[in-house]
């Protein structure tokens, strides 16, 4: 009987072990409270279904929302400050004007979600799916977006000062007029990305792929360009004064105009009109 007892004891021990935090279910009383009042700071809503929920102005500050299913939820002006939304699915959700300051959104599915006017300052969105998402006039200062998938997304007018977008995929995204002073864009894919009239002073483009990127009118004073691919990038009216790591070989594959300002000793071919 010994060979039968041991597996039974092992099974009992496994059953007694606590579930991993990511696998634990939501607190049912917290879910009920949230659905009734919309005010549930610090609540445990792990793995809850908020699919297509329409509830503006909710307060979920510092709440646990890991692995939540919130596809197409409508939660404008919501307070998610300091909340944990890692691996949550909020595809096509509306978070216009919401507060995600210091929130954890790593690995979240936010494809086609709306964050227009939202506060995501110092939030962690590393490895999140932001493809075709809307961040018009959003505050992403100091945010971590390393490794994000943000193809064809809109960040026009947003604040990304000091943000970390290293290894991010931002192909064909619109960053017109963004504030990205000292942002980290190392090894990012910026093919056909639009940076028109953006403030990129002190930003780091080392190892980035910026083929056909549009830098017209951008402020690139003091930016870093070590081993950056700039083939067919347009620097018309751009200011690259004091740019570091920029060399003639890189510029020979890009273009500019008579208003392009470059470090001493460098020149750029004229863009075809």
């Amino acid at each position: 009987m010994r060979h039968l007892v041991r597996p039974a004891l092992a099974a009992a021990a496994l059953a007694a072990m606590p579930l991993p935090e990511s696998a634990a279910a939501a607190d049912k009383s917290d879910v009920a409270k949230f659905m009734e009042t919309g005010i549930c700071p610090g609540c445990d809503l792990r793995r809850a279904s908020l699919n297509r929920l329409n509830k503006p102005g909710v307060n979920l500050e510092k709440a646990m929302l890991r692995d939540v299913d919130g596809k197409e939820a409508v939660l404008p002006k919501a307070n998610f400050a300091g909340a944990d939304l890692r691996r949550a699915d909020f595809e096509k959700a509306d978070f216009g004007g919401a507060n995600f300051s210091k929130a954890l959104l790593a690995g979240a599915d936010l494809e086609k979600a709306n964050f227009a006017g939202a506060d995501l300052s110092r939030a962690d969105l590393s490895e999140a799916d932001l493809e075709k998402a809307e961040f018009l006039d959003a505050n992403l200062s100091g945010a971590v977006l390393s490794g994000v998938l943000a193809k064809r997304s809109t960040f026009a007018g947003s604040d990304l000062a000091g943000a970390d977008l290293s290894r991010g995929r931002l192909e064909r995204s619109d960053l017109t007029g963004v504030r990205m002073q000292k942002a980290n864009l190392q090894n990012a894919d910026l093919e056909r990305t639009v940076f028109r009239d953006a403030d990129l002073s002190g930003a780091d483009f080392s190892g980035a792929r910026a083929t056909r990127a549009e830098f017209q009118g951008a402020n690139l004073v003091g930016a870093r360009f070590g081993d950056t691919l700039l083939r067919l990038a347009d620097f018309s009216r751009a200011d690259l004064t004091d740019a570091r790591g920029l060399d003639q070989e890189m510029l020979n594959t890009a273009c500019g105009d008579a208003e392009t300002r470059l470090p001493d000793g460098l020149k750029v071919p004229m863009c075809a009109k």
Side-chain angles (χ1 to χ4, degrees):
M1 294 293 291
R2 184 178 296 175
H3 65 286
L4 296 176
V5 172
R6 285 183 177 176
L9 289 173
L14 282 172
M17 290 175 65
L19 287 169
E21 190 172 26
S22 61
D27 184 309
K28 292 182 179 180
S29 63
D30 282 355
V31 174
K33 177 182 177 181
F34 170 67
M35 298 303 288
E36 180 180 354
T37 69
I39 301 172
C40 208
C43 284
D44 187 350
L45 304 180
R46 275 175 291 187
R47 304 177 71 189
S49 177
L50 306 180
N51 195 284
R52 296 186 178 180
L53 177 68
N54 190 333
K55 215 170 182 66
V58 301
N59 184 357
L60 287 167
E61 183 176 3
K62 296 183 179 180
M64 174 62 74
L65 293 143
R66 287 194 198 179
D67 303 299
V68 160
D69 178 7
K71 292 186 186 73
E72 300 183 39
V74 181
L75 301 167
K77 303 291 185 181
N79 183 7
F80 291 98
D84 188 344
L85 301 101
R86 282 176 282 184
R87 299 183 305 276
D89 186 351
F90 280 106
E91 183 178 342
K92 296 183 181 180
D94 181 3
F95 295 115
N99 181 6
F100 285 90
S101 178
K102 298 182 182 179
L104 301 176
L105 294 139
D109 183 354
L110 305 170
E111 183 180 352
K112 299 179 182 178
N114 174 38
F115 289 92
D119 181 1
L120 294 110
S121 56
R122 292 185 283 176
D124 182 0
L125 296 104
S126 54
E127 308 292 338
D129 182 355
L130 311 179
E131 188 166 4
K132 296 182 181 179
E134 175 82 45
F135 291 92
L136 185 68
D137 296 323
N139 180 4
L140 290 137
S141 58
V144 178
L145 298 103
S146 56
V148 295
L149 174 62
K151 296 168 64 176
R152 298 180 185 272
S153 297
T154 301
F155 293 87
S158 63
D159 186 351
L160 284 149
D164 180 3
L165 295 103
S166 58
R167 299 180 294 100
R169 297 191 58 186
L170 288 89
E171 304 102 301
R172 298 177 185 268
S173 288
D174 183 2
L175 287 91
T176 301
V178 297
R179 298 175 295 285
M180 295 185 74
Q181 304 95 318
K182 297 184 178 180
N184 181 3
L185 291 146
Q186 293 181 38
N187 302 306
D189 194 338
L190 308 173
E191 183 177 3
R192 295 181 184 271
T193 302
V194 178
F195 292 102
R196 291 194 197 104
D197 301 312
D199 186 351
L200 302 160
S201 55
D204 191 346
F205 292 89
S206 299
R209 181 172 175 263
T211 303
R212 295 182 183 271
E214 300 182 24
F215 292 99
Q216 298 97 319
N219 177 4
L220 289 150
V221 173
R224 185 183 295 275
F225 287 94
D227 195 29
T228 309
L229 183 60
L230 298 174
R231 185 168 58 85
L232 301 177
D234 188 341
F235 289 101
S236 298
R237 300 182 291 104
D239 188 352
L240 291 119
T241 304
D242 297 325
R244 294 170 290 172
L246 195 63
D247 59 36
Q248 193 57 56
E249 185 177 355
M250 287 183 204
L251 288 174
N252 285 342
T253 65
C255 72
D257 64 5
E259 296 182 56
T260 303
R261 301 180 66 183
L262 297 165
D264 291 342
L266 297 178
K267 58 184 179 180
V268 66
M270 293 294 104
C271 293
K273 293 184 179 180

